[in-house]
Amino acid sequence: MKRTLLLFDVDGTLTKPRCMVTNALYNLLLQLKKEKGVSLGIVGGSDLSKQKEQLGERFMRDFEYVFSENGLVYYKNNELQHEGSFATALGEDRLQTLMNESMRHFADVRLPVKRGTFFEYRKGLLNVSPCGRGVSQEERDAFEEYDSVHHIRKKYVELMNTLFGTWDLNFAIGGQISVDIYPKGWDKTYCLQFIPDDYTIHFFGDKTDVGGNDHELYEHPRTVGHKVANPDDTMRILQDMYNL
Ligand SMILES: [Mg+2]
């Protein structure tokens, strides 16, 4: 007999973006764990400290599977099991080649403004911004507008694909000013390698459409996908599922 894992995205699914979970939803999850014998899990893009702020310190004990940064940091029953790194996966030499070629390219690009911090290295990805992350909101808007006409990021991604197309990297244009670079497959489906086969995985996410960060996991053959509009909707779906 298969076990059940209820696996949740955080922002927009268990909480309103960047807010705390409500007691009503949290208590419902505890009730399902206790009365229906389900396991609880989260898989979110943020880091663990942010998730603790949103779900409370105790969630590390209440949730069996905790995947931060899409699973690059993985705790089971409050014990660290795995920590991945983009630099290790790609290799320091390749990472530097990638950065050097990016700088060479940006050196010749003219923009409305350029500021500081063209790279932000995170555990699971390299975030690259042609104008730099040190821009104000007004300057961000100006870059986005300029980019929509001159395709600065698109041209950069095309160049990187030409140079490094064999390295199995994703170049994802995201937000207003940047491009995320990460190994193929390092989306939320990364967490699946850690979940035993005898689980039926119900995954709940709000960004399940193409291009959304829940899409790949929502569509994956190993999950039963549930698209939610907001945390209240998550609650309603759970209540329906378990006739509460
Ligand atoms: Mg979300």
Side-chain angles (χ1 to χ4, degrees), residues 43-62:
V43 53
S46 311
D47 62 20
L48 184 60
S49 65
K50 185 76 207 158
Q51 289 160 350
K52 283 180 182 169
E53 280 173 33
Q54 290 178 276
L55 301 172
E57 287 281 340
R58 60 176 292 195
F59 102 96
M60 294 292 287
R61 278 169 282 121
D62 294 329

Side-chain angles (χ1 to χ4, degrees), residues 9-15 17 43-45 188 204-208 213-214 228:
D9 163 54
V10 181
D11 264 350
T13 300
L14 285 186
T15 74
V43 53
K188 286 190 180 179
F204 299 77
D206 65 317
K207 298 278 190 291
T208 57
N213 62 2
D214 296 321
V228 310

